């Protein structure tokens, strides 16, 4: 199956079945999402959602967070992965938001990446979710699913290379949603160690499935027609 056809099937399935896909992180404003995404690195969204209410009660704005030391932030995020480093990131992030950006979360990917703890993936998430920009955040789920489905070539070996290939084929207006489609599919079905192919609705165009089970007929329910 050619790559354009795989994308056509992908977009057809998800636009029909998950037209309003969105982040599973809880947030009320750009600042809260930024902090939540920084905390979510190598940590589950579920764990982050348990931690952030208490954190935001004490540090409700960038200006308040800017006054905190890493040692003061640590107790509120100690159950998160790498809490020492993330406490340092949040303290620095708060100061930079307050001092350099007047307490506002910047919209450009370049400026977002100036913030402590914010790499390209996090910047793309904020640009996509908050500002509805055609930014594709490539985390481990997006990287894995894109490879398995055959959406990107074998030459795409880094998150940035995967990002560029995905953006070449996904319509601009669908990029923010497609980011969540791929993440959620990787989180709940296309698992890293034990992909749930038996209940996957995408096997009829999945390169991984076709390679490993070339003679196994597709479930008729998986056909899009």
């Amino acid at each position: 199956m050619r790559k354009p056809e795989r994308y056509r099937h992908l977009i057809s399935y998800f636009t029909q079945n998950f037209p309003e896909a969105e982040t599973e992180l809880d947030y009320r404003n750009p600042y809260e999402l930024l902090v939540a995404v920084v905390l979510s690195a190598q940590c589950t969204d579920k764990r982050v959602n348990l931690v952030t209410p208490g954190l935001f009660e004490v540090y409700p704005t960038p200006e308040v967070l800017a006054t905190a030391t890493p040692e003061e932030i640590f107790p509120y995020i100690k159950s998160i992965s790498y809490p020492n480093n993330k406490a340092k990131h949040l303290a620095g992030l708060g100061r930079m938001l307050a001092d350099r950006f007047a307490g506002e979360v910047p919209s450009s990917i370049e400026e977002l990446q100036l913030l402590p703890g914010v790499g390209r993936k996090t910047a793309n998430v904020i640009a996509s979710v908050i500002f509805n920009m055609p930014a594709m955040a490539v985390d481990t789920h997006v990287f894995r699913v894109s490879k398995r489905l055959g959406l990107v070539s074998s030459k795409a070996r880094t998150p940035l290379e995967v990002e560029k290939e995905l953006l070449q084929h996904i319509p601009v207006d669908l990029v923010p949603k497609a980011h969540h489609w791929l993440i959620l599919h990787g989180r709940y079905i296309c698992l890293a160690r034990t992909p749930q192919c038996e209940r996957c609705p995408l096997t009829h165009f999945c390169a991984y499935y076709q390679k490993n089970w070339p003679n196994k007929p597709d479930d008729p329910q998986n056909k899009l027609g």
Side-chain angles (χ1 to χ4, degrees):
M1 183 179 293
R2 296 177 64 83
K3 191 180 295 183
E5 190 174 0
R6 295 187 196 278
Y7 278 94
R8 181 174 64 82
H9 284 310
L10 176 86
I11 291 169
S12 177
Y13 173 77
F14 281 108
T15 53
Q16 291 178 37
N17 294 277
F18 298 95
E20 303 302 326
E22 58 187 17
T23 181
E24 293 185 316
L25 290 169
D26 295 334
Y27 70 98
R28 295 170 296 185
N29 53 56
Y31 159 69
E32 289 191 357
L33 180 62
L34 177 60
V35 170
V37 177
V38 170
L39 291 176
S40 72
Q42 296 180 285
C43 188
T44 66
D45 288 0
K46 182 178 180 180
R47 169 56 54 185
V48 173
N49 288 339
L50 291 174
V51 166
T52 49
L55 179 69
F56 294 141
E57 183 176 355
V58 179
Y59 305 110
T61 67
E63 291 82 358
V64 178
L65 185 64
T67 67
T69 65
E71 293 74 21
E72 290 170 331
I73 295 170
F74 177 85
Y76 299 97
I77 66 169
K78 62 183 180 181
S79 64
I80 294 284
S81 60
Y82 306 105
N84 287 298
N85 284 338
K86 290 179 181 178
K88 294 176 183 177
H89 290 328
L90 292 188
L93 181 151
R95 288 193 297 272
M96 185 172 285
L97 284 177
D99 297 341
R100 183 163 182 167
F101 298 106
E104 298 293 328
V105 174
S107 60
S108 79
I109 291 172
E110 291 73 20
E111 288 183 320
L112 283 163
Q113 289 184 90
L114 297 175
L115 297 166
V118 177
R120 185 173 182 86
K121 185 206 75 174
T122 297
N124 280 343
V125 171
I126 302 304
S128 172
V129 175
I130 297 298
F131 302 105
N132 200 37
M133 294 171 59
M136 175 60 69
V138 178
D139 66 356
T140 56
H141 296 304
V142 173
F143 190 91
R144 179 177 70 255
V145 172
S146 299
K147 286 283 193 176
R148 283 183 178 167
L149 289 177
L151 299 177
V152 298
S153 68
S154 59
K155 296 180 181 179
R157 298 174 180 174
T158 67
L160 181 57
E161 289 170 344
V162 168
E163 175 188 331
K164 289 180 177 179
E165 286 202 25
L166 290 172
L167 291 177
Q168 289 176 2
H169 297 277
I170 299 174
V172 171
D173 61 315
L174 292 179
V175 170
K177 291 182 181 179
H179 159 69
H180 297 300
W181 291 341
L182 295 171
I183 282 181
L184 295 175
H185 191 69
R187 184 173 292 165
Y188 296 110
I189 295 180
C190 194
L191 310 181
R193 295 184 179 180
T194 55
Q196 307 296 297
C197 297
E198 69 281 357
R199 63 186 187 91
C200 177
L202 311 180
T203 55
H204 60 291
F205 71 88
C206 176
Y208 174 87
Y209 184 86
Q210 293 166 355
K211 178 181 178 180
N212 288 279
W213 295 280
N215 300 316
K216 188 173 182 178
D218 287 320
D219 185 335
Q221 294 182 350
N222 289 354
K223 301 291 185 180
L224 296 180

